[in-house]
Amino acid sequence: MINKDTQLCMSLAGRPGNFGTRFHNYLYQELGLNYIYKAFTTNDLQAAIGGVRALGIRGCAVSMPFKEACIPFLDKLDPSAAAIESVNTIVNSDGHLKAYNTDYIAIERLLAKYHIDNTLHFALRGSGGMAKAVLGALHGAGFKNGAVIARNETAGRHLADLYGYQWLPDEKGADARMIINVTPVGMSGGPEEHQLSFSEEMVKRADIVFDVVALPAETPLITLGRRLNKQTVSGAEVIAIQALEQFVLYTGVRPDEALIERAAAFARG
């Protein structure tokens, strides 16, 4: 039951979704925690972050396009966010706003879970805040050979140069055994939801197909990868891990694996 002591957590996104809201609220209810979670968007980011501080909102998830733009309004960056200059989680402790990046943690764990060989050549499409998290995790895991495919040369070159990778304006010349989509292509409700983020030819040449788009869990890229018997890593896996780590940062409670699986299944339903 909501009362005066209920702690609010929230998310800020250009296109708010339901996964985080359903995931967090399910866990609050199952664990008997006096929290509630709500998704928002905003046209005034500075005022929104000021509201997190002023109203004592305990935690705030941050999604595109706010992951870098929110940094000037925060007090401290955890190394997970500072290393890649991108934020996806804000924790409010008595008005002090500290930022983290649990996307980085999620990618790091999935690379280890699937024992992905760090000598593989990869091609990553995208140049935003999530792309920074993925590239940071790849670099931290020892991947030395990769390319950033981005139409925006300034952003693409800058991101590639941060980690010593190649920049390419398109797929031409990209020879990759792992392809990674970090763009909104394939996302439910978007203008490109039915499109492939990589050409079918690139998917055929790859061994591993990785899509960070979480909704739907079966994006066109993942669907094609599975049809061609490629190893796939989905955004549904990424979002569940990063949401769990946010939950732990907000509440100090780490649920058991069975409950996490139920919460993720509920959130995807």
Side-chain angles (χ1 to χ4, degrees), residues 12 45-46 48-50 52-53 60 62 66-78 81 86-92 95-100:
L12 283 172
L45 181 60
Q46 183 173 2
I49 299 299
V52 171
R53 190 194 307 274
C60 178
V62 182
F66 306 127
K67 292 185 175 188
E68 296 160 303
C70 70
I71 291 175
F73 313 126
L74 307 174
D75 298 313
K76 186 175 181 179
L77 300 184
D78 179 78
S86 178
V87 166
N88 84 325
T89 306
I90 301 167
V91 178
N92 181 3
H96 183 271
L97 304 185
K98 183 174 180 179
Y100 300 79

Side-chain angles (χ1 to χ4, degrees), residues 106-117 134 137-138 141 143 178 210:
I107 301 300
E108 185 178 53
R109 290 190 184 169
L110 287 168
L111 292 172
K113 174 183 176 180
Y114 289 108
H115 306 287
I116 297 177
D117 181 0
V134 175
L138 288 165
F143 285 80
M178 177 166 64
F210 195 154

Side-chain angles (χ1 to χ4, degrees), residues 122-128 131-132 135 138 145-153 155-171 174 180 182 198:
F122 71 84
L124 176 145
R125 184 181 291 279
S127 59
K132 278 187 178 180
L135 283 173
L138 288 165
N145 302 300
V148 175
I149 301 172
R151 286 174 294 183
N152 183 321
E153 181 174 358
R157 278 192 184 277
H158 172 71
L159 188 54
D161 289 347
L162 278 176
Y163 300 104
Y165 298 129
Q166 181 184 14
W167 168 75
L168 296 171
D170 52 45
E171 290 183 3
I180 311 164
V182 199
F198 287 91

Side-chain angles (χ1 to χ4, degrees), residues 60-252:
C60 178
V62 182
S63 296
M64 295 185 295
F66 306 127
K67 292 185 175 188
E68 296 160 303
C70 70
I71 291 175
F73 313 126
L74 307 174
D75 298 313
K76 186 175 181 179
L77 300 184
D78 179 78
S80 63
I84 58 176
E85 299 176 333
S86 178
V87 166
N88 84 325
T89 306
I90 301 167
V91 178
N92 181 3
S93 300
D94 298 322
H96 183 271
L97 304 185
K98 183 174 180 179
Y100 300 79
N101 196 303
T102 65
D103 289 330
Y104 180 103
I105 295 168
I107 301 300
E108 185 178 53
R109 290 190 184 169
L110 287 168
L111 292 172
K113 174 183 176 180
Y114 289 108
H115 306 287
I116 297 177
D117 181 0
N118 64 9
T119 66
L120 291 179
H121 287 243
F122 71 84
L124 176 145
R125 184 181 291 279
S127 59
M130 184 64 177
K132 278 187 178 180
V134 175
L135 283 173
L138 288 165
H139 186 265
F143 285 80
K144 301 188 185 317
N145 302 300
V148 175
I149 301 172
R151 286 174 294 183
N152 183 321
E153 181 174 358
T154 301
R157 278 192 184 277
H158 172 71
L159 188 54
D161 289 347
L162 278 176
Y163 300 104
Y165 298 129
Q166 181 184 14
W167 168 75
L168 296 171
D170 52 45
E171 290 183 3
K172 294 176 184 177
D175 182 18
R177 289 178 57 200
M178 177 166 64
I179 55 175
I180 311 164
N181 176 46
V182 199
T183 75
V185 176
M187 182 182 292
S188 292
E192 302 167 297
E193 67 176 315
H194 301 300
Q195 296 182 25
L196 284 170
S197 48
F198 287 91
S199 68
E200 186 168 344
E201 190 57 38
M202 276 207 75
V203 179
K204 287 178 178 177
R205 293 201 304 266
D207 296 326
I208 301 170
V209 176
F210 195 154
D211 197 341
V212 303
V213 171
L215 296 171
E218 293 279 338
T219 62
L221 181 65
I222 292 295
T223 298
L224 177 61
R226 288 183 176 160
R227 181 163 61 82
L228 295 174
N229 295 316
K230 306 297 182 178
Q231 180 179 357
T232 60
V233 186
S234 75
E237 296 175 89
V238 176
I239 197 172
I241 295 172
Q242 69 84 18
L244 168 66
E245 295 307 316
Q246 289 176 331
F247 178 88
V248 175
L249 286 168
Y250 300 156
T251 67

